[in-house]
Amino acid sequence: MARSHYLLAALGALLLQVASPALAQPVPKALRPVAWKIVESVDIAAFNKDLVAGKPTLDVGIYLPSNFDPAFKKLTLEQMVDGVRSAKEIYKPAGVQINLLWVKTGAIDPRHLAIQSNEIPRVPDTEYVNLYEGNKRHPTELTDMARSAFQSMIEPRKDSDRTIYLVALQDVIMPFLERSDGRNWTVKMVRTGGLSFPSYSYYGTIPRAYRGVITVDNLSTPSRGRRTIAHEIGHKVMNVSHEYKTTDPGFEVYADGGLMLYGDGEDIPSGAEGRWHLERLLMSPYLYRLRPDGAKQWNPDYEDGGHYYDPIYGDKVVRFPGQPNMDPNW
């Protein structure tokens, strides 16, 4: 019995020695919250003066680092605010209004000025299921780098998981798999102008507190300034990829017409022929209606993590085949 007490005491001392240094260490710098401050030059009340109680509304906040590298010239405070103003105009015909909560600035950890958004995918899409089904089976995963960045930047608040956060950064790099030839794939790294971290792709893998994050890196041309923020919000609130009417989704789809393509289009179509974009938008968990007592009546939340075929959408989905993208006789 004495020997047992001795062994237990020794084990306890060893565990205390191991744990104590960890407890004594300061919180890593990357996890310290950014000290954001309101940008007083932006008149939020004037920006929101056209809001109407009872209409579907989307809350948006802007975070703009104050410590960009001097050579970075791809976006400014004015371009960020103008991008949200353009999004207001684009979503207005769809009956959705944007409520700008704040514009804040502050010094972020310089390591977070450029991040890799997601881990390199392990399994490529094949012809057996479509892109959305493939994403549900093998969802995209945040990198530890991105998770740490968002943890330090996104302020804890009520309705955090229902808010769109536009986070300006210098570079967000997204890796994906692309078929090269035969039965081979290659890893490609794309430098994004904006990235929405949508639920159809990050199904069940992104923390709820950060699921509204959209990164913005380049608004330097008129087309980017006009459409980028509206387009990325579309990924989040319609929960669809780059698609439009008869165009099935893909990583990069260039064509005119719809807001969700790479081009100049701003259309948010409805009905089966429009791939239910308008209907899915109006069902979004990020939308609410302001009641007469000032309370927010939110749309129902996702029932199954927010994949494209989440039960909240009912029949407002498209059952399309996978895309054969290689020689069937491989």
Side-chain angles (χ1 to χ4, degrees):
M1 180 67 70
R3 181 177 176 82
S4 297
H5 282 303
Y6 173 78
L7 290 175
L8 288 172
L11 178 60
L14 178 61
L15 291 173
L16 186 61
Q17 289 177 356
V18 172
S20 295
L23 293 174
Q25 290 177 357
V27 176
K29 183 178 179 183
L31 299 181
R32 290 176 181 164
V34 176
W36 297 111
K37 295 181 179 180
I38 293 290
V39 177
E40 301 291 349
S41 62
V42 179
D43 189 336
I44 300 296
F47 190 95
N48 293 328
K49 66 181 181 181
D50 58 342
L51 295 182
V52 177
K55 290 186 63 175
T57 306
L58 180 68
D59 281 347
V60 173
I62 294 176
Y63 288 127
L64 186 77
S66 61
N67 56 327
F68 283 137
D69 290 321
F72 178 67
K73 307 293 183 183
K74 295 296 184 183
L75 61 79
T76 64
L77 167 65
E78 292 74 18
Q79 288 169 334
M80 288 288 287
V81 175
D82 285 345
V84 179
R85 186 174 288 108
S86 295
K88 281 171 64 83
E89 297 173 4
I90 290 170
Y91 283 94
K92 186 175 181 179
V96 172
Q97 55 188 4
I98 292 178
N99 176 42
L100 183 60
L101 297 173
W102 67 73
V103 180
K104 296 183 180 182
T105 190
I108 71 172
D109 189 317
R111 291 172 295 177
H112 294 154
L113 290 171
I115 62 173
Q116 179 180 321
S117 60
N118 56 279
E119 300 290 353
I120 296 173
R122 297 175 179 86
V123 180
D125 290 333
T126 61
E127 71 273 25
Y128 304 120
V129 295
N130 68 41
L131 179 144
Y132 296 132
E133 293 165 329
N135 281 341
K136 183 182 177 184
R137 295 181 184 183
H138 303 287
T140 308
E141 299 178 24
L142 282 179
T143 60
D144 289 341
M145 182 189 308
R147 187 183 298 264
S148 176
F150 299 157
Q151 184 177 350
S152 70
M153 295 176 193
I154 304 305
E155 301 163 292
R157 59 184 297 274
K158 182 183 178 182
D159 303 329
S160 177
D161 58 344
R162 304 277 195 156
T163 303
I164 298 296
Y165 299 102
L166 299 175
V167 180
L169 296 176
Q170 290 182 181
D171 272 314
V172 177
I173 307 300
M174 184 185 77
F176 63 97
L177 298 177
E178 182 175 83
R179 189 177 69 85
S180 53
D181 60 81
R183 53 177 174 161
N184 300 312
W185 281 267
T186 185
V187 176
K188 295 190 71 174
M189 307 282 280
V190 62
R191 189 182 197 186
T192 63
L195 190 61
S196 58
F197 301 87
S199 293
Y200 70 78
S201 182
Y202 289 79
Y203 164 59
T205 66
I206 191 166
R208 282 187 65 94
Y210 318 139
R211 73 178 187 179
V213 168
I214 293 174
T215 54
V216 184
D217 315 284
N218 188 349
L219 300 175
S220 61
T221 67
S223 177
R224 286 183 179 276
R226 171 71 182 175
R227 293 182 75 255
T228 296
I229 288 176
H231 173 91
E232 298 305 331
I233 288 175
H235 283 308
K236 192 78 80 176
V237 296
M238 296 180 218
N239 205 12
V240 300
S241 184
H242 302 113
E243 59 170 45
Y244 181 65
K245 295 188 176 181
T246 59
T247 304
D248 287 341
F251 281 110
E252 297 177 315
V253 182
Y254 294 87
D256 292 326
L259 178 62
M260 300 317 300
L261 298 176
Y262 288 154
D264 295 327
E266 299 180 359
D267 185 31
I268 301 174
S270 64
E273 66 279 5
R275 304 183 79 96
W276 306 110
H277 284 188
L278 177 60
E279 290 79 4
R280 291 174 67 89
L281 165 64
L282 296 176
M283 292 177 181
S284 174
Y286 293 97
L287 296 184
Y288 66 89
R289 289 171 172 80
L290 202 62
R291 297 193 308 218
D293 62 359
K296 295 178 179 179
Q297 182 63 53
W298 293 97
N299 280 352
D301 202 356
Y302 299 123
E303 295 180 19
D304 187 23
H307 58 84
Y308 174 82
Y309 295 105
D310 192 283
I312 69 165
Y313 296 116
D315 62 353
K316 305 303 186 290
V317 298
V318 180
R319 303 283 179 180
F320 59 100
Q323 298 295 321
N325 60 359
M326 65 173 57
D327 182 350
N329 297 317
W330 63 270

